[in-house]
Structure formats: structure tokens, C-alpha cells
């Protein structure tokens, strides 16, 4: 099998891994080296489904020893198999870079023989690129759960970002779909990476030329929709990973049915892309807006409403806290207003030191008034002609997000009655 055939198989096998975005790593290129990892040196392009494809995203091998039921590369799966030699893949990466096809490498792999052997082969690819070819571009490498800690440490010194996929949100799901993987084998390397990154950050302060360990941090990925966990369970786990292991990102991947199995959704099941989108929105609220997972969801409402984004959904459920006065509200409360982001909240704080803000001024500052107008007052007054009521807020937000305001049905002379406005709102908002 030639290199092109291997690349065709192994790049296609890597397409289900969503954690491929680059970061602001700043690996300094020496005069004799190739490439740069400056923040401006990583180009981004996106596929039709929104996934970043700026890097050469490829598997070292899809000849996996594990038989995870959800995976297209499972041992029992009927799929073409291929494996790169470390130097072959390093040469391919360098040739792609010189042709300006890519700016870096995203390297993952199936488990060849065992985790240690697979990690050794991946490290050899990185060693050839870094030490022999002096490649200073961005490299994101997936650590193999169960590999020796010394191998994980070596990988972290060669890669800009290192990650361990948690795959499924619970031990029960792992036991059902991926019996060769356990919670301990996944969280063990994650803890080691987190500890090493923090230790390295202290060493760099003391010794300027100390080698950097995964300077772009670590990330992980969860599959959404293959198992019955609720959004609350997924978001609670996400929050715990951020707080305990200081992850840069948790990526969510909507499950795409690729294997027929009684434990998995049917092959004709559509990927839950909207659910994935809502989880990403909620993840943003956890990281930048000061929200807690238990604020966004609870046991009575364990899943996000598909018609409203999580921030709007929270605001509608807490109308007792609104409207707020934009000229006096603290930063933390401004961040909770739908239509106000981190940047626009900062601009509001700066602008109101010099003048009293009105709605025209808020629009110039980047506030999305079609959502924020229901939750703000300027000088004690709301937008002229706007009446603050739960019914009006719901209908306005649904309209602003493109949701239909009335269910579509065929008119009938014998229909007992037409739906009332309250019926429409109840139908559209569901759990709210």
C-alpha cells in the first residue's frame, strides 16, 4: 500500500474527531527551523459541518486492538486498515507544509498492539519532526489512555497541545460500549498532564529556557447522543473537568451512526447536531459568563430547550431578576443579559463612566437589542412601546431566534377551535 492510499484511509478515519482547533501557542522558531507557531501563523478553514480542518488531521493507524461499539475503526469492523511508519508520516507532514497545504499536524491513532507501543510510535513521529526536521509548527497529539506516564510526559514536551478523549459521559456507558476503556485509565493521564502543565509554568518563571510542556494546554472530547445521559449530566461533568484538570476546551461530538448494534441508536437516526450546538453554547457560558451547570439545568429540566439558546432559556426562567438598569448594573449581571457578550459588557462599563447610556448608544456598543431590549432599562425606562411580560418576552425571543410563532396546520371547517396564543407559547417553550 503506497502513501497516498494510506493517507486516504487514515485521514477519512480521523474525521470523527472534533478536537482539532488550534490555539494561541507561541513556540518560537529558531533561525534553522521550519514553520512557526505564533498565534497568527495558524490558518483556519472549516468544513461544511463547521469543523476545523486547518491542520493535517490524520491517524497513525486505524488497525485498532479495541472493539468500541461506537467506533468506525473497531476491531470487528469491516473497514480498510492502514498504518503509517513514523518517518513516512513525518515526511508527509513536512511536504504538505512546504506546499502550503497545512500549518500544523493533528495526530491521533487507534490502539496498535497496546497503548505503550502506540504512544512510542506517535512520539517517534513528533521526535523526527521536532529534532531532525526542526519543525516549529503547531502539533496537537492525542495521548492513548493506559499508556505509561513516562511516555505521556515525553509526548507533552514535543506537542503544543495534548489531549485524552473521555469519549463517553459515564463509567456505565464506557462499560457498555467500550469495555477496554475505564474511567481511571482516562482520568489518570489527564491528571498527569494537568499537574505537569502547572509544574512547568512554575519552572518557566524560575528558568526562562526551561522546555515547555504542552504550552497550548490539554483538551478532551465527549460523544453526545450515543448513550442516554442527559444534558445536565454532560454539563456537570464538563464543569468538573474544567475545575479539576484545568482543561482548555471540552469538545462535543454529535454521534453519527456508523455501526449497527443493539446498544446504539439505529443507523437511520439523525446526528443530534442542534443538541451539540446547545452544549457548546452552554460550555461558553461556563467558561466566560460565570454560570454554573446547576443554574442552567436541574433535575426537573435535565435537557436544553431546542428552541432557545441556554442564556435566553435561563433569563426567561429568572424574570424576577430583570429588567436591570444598564447604567448601574454590575459587570456580572450585565453578562447574564441575553444579547450582551463579554466584549459589549466591557464597553458598557467603559462608556458609562463618561455618559448616560441610552438604547441607541447600546446598539453602537455591539449589544444585540432584539434580545437585550426585554431585559434592560436605560435611565429607568424600557424601549418605547415595549411591555415587559413573560408572554411577550417568550414570543419576542422565539421570533429573534427564528422559531415559528404558530404551529403550521391545515385549516378545517370542522376544527373544534383554533389554538390560543397561550397554547402556542406553551407548545413552543415546552419545559419552560
Amino acid at each position: 500500500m503506497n502513501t497516498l492510499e494510506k493517507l486516504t484511509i487514515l485521514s477519512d478515519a480521523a474525521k470523527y474527531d472534533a478536537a482539532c482547533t488550534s490555539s494561541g501557542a507561541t513556540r518560537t522558531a529558531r533561525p534553522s527551523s521550519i514553520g512557526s507557531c505564533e498565534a497568527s501563523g495558524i490558518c483556519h478553514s472549516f468544513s461544511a459541518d463547521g469543523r476545523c480542518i486547518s491542520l493535517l488531521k490524520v491517524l497513525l493507524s486505524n488497525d485498532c486492538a479495541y472493539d468500541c461499539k461506537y467506533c468506525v475503526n473497531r476491531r470487528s469492523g469491516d473497514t480498510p486498515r492502514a498504518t503509517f511508519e513514523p518517518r513516512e508520516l513525518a515526511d508527509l507532514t513536512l511536504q504538505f507544509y512546504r506546499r502550503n497545504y497545512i500549518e500544523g499536524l493533528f495526530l491521533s491513532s487507534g490502539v496498535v498492539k497496546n497503548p505503550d507501543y502506540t504512544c512510542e510510535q506517535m512520539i517517534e513521529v513528533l521526535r523526527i519532526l521536532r529534532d531532525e526536521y526542526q519543525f516549529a509548527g503547531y502539533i496537537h497529539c492525542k495521548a492513548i489512555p493506559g499508556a505509561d506516564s513516562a511516555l505521556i510526559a515525553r509526548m507533552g514536551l514535543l506537542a503544543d497541545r495534548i489531549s485524552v478523549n473521555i469519549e463517553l459521559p459515564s463509567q456505565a456507558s464506557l462499560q457498555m460500549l467500550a469495555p477496554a476503556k475505564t474511567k481511571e485509565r482516562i482520568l489518570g493521564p489527564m491528571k498527569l498532564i494537568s499537574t505537569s502543565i502547572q509544574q512547568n509554568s512554575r519552572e518557566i518563571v524560575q528558568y526562562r529556557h526551561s522546555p515547555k510542556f504542552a504550552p497550548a494546554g490539554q483538551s478532551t472530547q465527549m460523544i453526545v447522543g450515543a448513550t442516554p445521559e442527559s444534558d445536565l449530566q454532560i454539563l456537570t461533568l464538563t464543569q468538573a473537568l474544567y475545575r479539576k484538570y484545568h482543561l482548555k476546551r471540552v469538545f462535543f461530538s454529535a454521534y453519527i451512526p456508523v455501526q449497527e448494534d443493539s446498544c446504539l441508536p439505529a443507523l437511520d437516526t439523525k446526528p443530534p447536531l442542534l443538541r451539540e450546538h446547545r452544549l457548546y453554547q452552554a460550555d461558553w457560558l461556563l467558561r466566560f459568563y460565570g454560570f454554573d451547570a446547576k443554574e442552567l439545568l436541574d433535575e426537573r429540566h435535565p435537557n436544553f430547550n431546542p428552541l432557545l439558546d441556554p442564556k435566553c432559556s435561563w433569563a426567561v426562567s429568572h424574570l424576577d431578576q430583570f429588567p436591570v438598569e444598564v447604567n448601574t448594573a454590575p459587570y456580572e449581571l450585565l453578562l447574564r443579559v441575553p444579547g450582551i457578550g463579554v466584549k459589549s459588557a466591557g464597553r458598557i462599563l467603559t462608556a458609562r463612566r463618561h455618559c448616560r447610556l441610552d438604547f441607541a448608544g447600546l446598539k453602537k456598543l455591539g449589544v444585540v437589542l432584539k434580545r437585550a431590549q426585554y431585559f434592560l432599562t436605560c435611565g429607568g425606562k424600557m424601549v418605547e412601546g415595549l411591555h415587559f411580560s413573560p408572554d411577550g418576552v417568550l414570543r419576542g425571543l422565539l421570533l429573534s431566534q427564528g422559531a415559528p410563532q404558530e404551529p403550521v396546520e391545515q385549516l378545517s371547517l370542522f376544527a373544534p377551535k383554533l389554538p390560543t396564543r397561550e397554547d402556542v407559547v406553551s407548545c413552543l417553550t415546552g419545559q419552560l
Side-chain angles (χ1 to χ4, degrees):
M1 185 179 295
N2 62 37
T3 301
L4 180 59
E5 291 171 332
K6 291 181 182 180
L7 179 63
T8 302
I9 293 171
L10 295 173
S11 60
D12 183 67
K15 67 185 179 183
Y16 296 104
D17 202 321
C20 63
T21 53
S22 57
S23 69
T26 54
R27 181 181 295 272
T28 304
R30 296 182 296 277
S32 60
S33 63
I34 296 174
S36 172
C37 199
E38 293 292 333
S40 59
I42 301 298
C43 300
H44 292 42
S45 59
F46 296 88
S47 60
D49 60 357
R51 303 185 192 278
C52 178
I53 55 171
S54 56
L55 311 176
L56 171 58
K57 190 166 74 167
V58 68
L59 300 185
L60 177 74
S61 174
N62 69 340
D63 190 9
C64 191
Y66 290 172
D67 201 28
C68 305
K69 295 180 180 180
Y70 55 82
C71 184
V72 68
N73 301 311
R74 60 192 283 187
R75 184 181 65 240
S76 60
D78 183 19
T79 186
R81 307 289 176 173
T83 301
F84 277 119
E85 293 296 325
R87 187 167 296 277
E88 182 182 21
L89 182 52
D91 289 342
L92 182 67
T93 302
L94 202 63
Q95 291 173 28
F96 273 35
Y97 178 82
R98 284 173 169 161
R99 287 171 171 79
N100 203 30
Y101 296 162
I102 60 168
E103 292 283 347
L105 172 67
F106 175 90
L107 180 60
S108 186
S109 181
V111 180
V112 185
K113 297 182 180 178
N114 56 65
D116 284 350
Y117 177 81
T118 308
C119 249
E120 289 171 354
Q121 295 296 295
M122 296 173 74
I123 289 171
E124 181 63 11
V125 176
L126 272 57
R127 186 199 66 79
I128 294 170
L129 283 170
R130 295 297 196 206
D131 297 343
E132 294 187 24
Y133 297 157
Q134 300 295 299
F135 181 70
Y138 181 84
I139 296 180
H140 181 166
C141 196
K142 283 297 179 74
I144 306 298
D148 188 86
S149 58
L151 295 172
I152 302 294
R154 174 62 176 156
M155 184 178 288
L157 291 172
L158 294 168
D160 294 287
R161 173 170 287 182
I162 187 170
S163 54
V164 186
N165 278 2
I166 200 165
E167 302 289 11
L168 298 168
S170 69
Q171 176 62 44
S173 295
L174 281 172
Q175 186 63 36
M176 178 177 64
L177 298 181
K181 299 178 180 178
T182 63
K183 180 180 177 181
E184 291 73 22
R185 297 183 78 181
I186 294 171
L187 297 183
M190 199 176 284
K191 182 179 180 180
L192 172 65
I193 295 167
S194 176
T195 303
S196 299
I197 290 173
Q198 293 180 64
Q199 181 180 347
N200 183 247
S201 64
R202 293 190 294 269
E203 291 174 351
I204 290 175
V205 173
Q206 295 178 333
Y207 310 102
R208 188 176 65 176
H209 298 294
S210 178
K212 294 182 180 180
F213 185 95
Q218 71 163 322
S219 59
T220 191
Q221 177 183 342
M222 269 187 274
I223 298 171
V224 177
T227 49
E229 286 86 6
S230 66
D231 292 341
L232 174 60
Q233 291 173 281
I234 294 172
L235 203 62
T236 302
L237 174 59
T238 298
Q239 180 174 272
L241 292 174
Y242 281 129
R243 292 179 176 178
K244 188 172 183 179
Y245 300 112
H246 310 286
L247 270 64
K248 287 290 186 180
R249 288 293 306 271
V250 174
F251 291 88
F252 307 102
S253 179
Y255 174 67
I256 301 174
V258 292
Q259 302 285 351
E260 189 169 2
D261 193 283
S262 58
C263 298
L264 292 169
L267 289 177
D268 58 353
T269 303
K270 293 183 178 180
L273 296 177
L274 180 56
R275 185 184 182 192
E276 176 191 288
H277 179 59
R278 294 294 183 225
L279 285 168
Y280 272 120
Q281 290 176 318
D283 172 84
W284 204 262
L285 296 180
L286 295 182
R287 291 190 294 136
F288 300 112
Y289 288 77
F291 279 87
D292 189 89
K294 295 295 178 65
E295 290 183 276
L296 298 171
L297 295 168
D298 55 38
E299 297 298 335
R300 294 184 301 111
H301 304 133
N303 295 300
F304 288 114
N305 189 307
L307 297 176
L308 287 175
D309 70 70
K311 192 176 181 183
C312 287
S313 183
W314 177 85
V316 169
S317 299
H318 296 79
L319 290 178
D320 56 301
Q321 298 188 28
F322 300 104
V324 299
E325 172 54 47
V326 73
N327 287 291
T328 57
Y331 178 75
E332 293 75 17
L333 187 53
L334 286 175
L335 282 180
R336 296 191 168 219
V337 176
I340 296 182
V342 174
K343 290 184 178 180
S344 54
R347 290 169 185 160
I348 289 172
L349 292 185
T350 302
R352 73 188 189 186
R353 294 173 192 162
H354 308 286
C355 63
R356 298 283 291 179
L357 292 172
D358 56 19
F359 286 102
L362 290 180
K363 189 172 183 180
K364 293 178 181 178
L365 293 176
V367 175
V368 183
L369 282 180
K370 66 180 180 181
R371 291 200 292 273
Q373 63 183 342
Y374 303 101
F375 305 97
L376 291 176
T377 59
C378 291
K381 298 180 180 179
M382 299 192 73
V383 172
E384 186 176 354
L386 185 69
H387 299 287
F388 185 84
S389 68
D391 187 7
V393 170
L394 278 172
R395 284 186 281 110
L397 288 174
L398 289 168
L399 181 62
S400 72
Q401 298 194 20
Q405 283 207 287
E406 295 187 4
V408 179
E409 64 176 33
Q410 177 65 45
L411 293 177
S412 170
L413 293 174
F414 305 102
K417 67 171 184 174
L418 292 175
T420 64
R421 179 170 295 179
E422 289 72 21
D423 293 334
V424 173
V425 172
S426 176
C427 173
L428 289 173
T429 57
Q431 63 193 23
L432 295 176

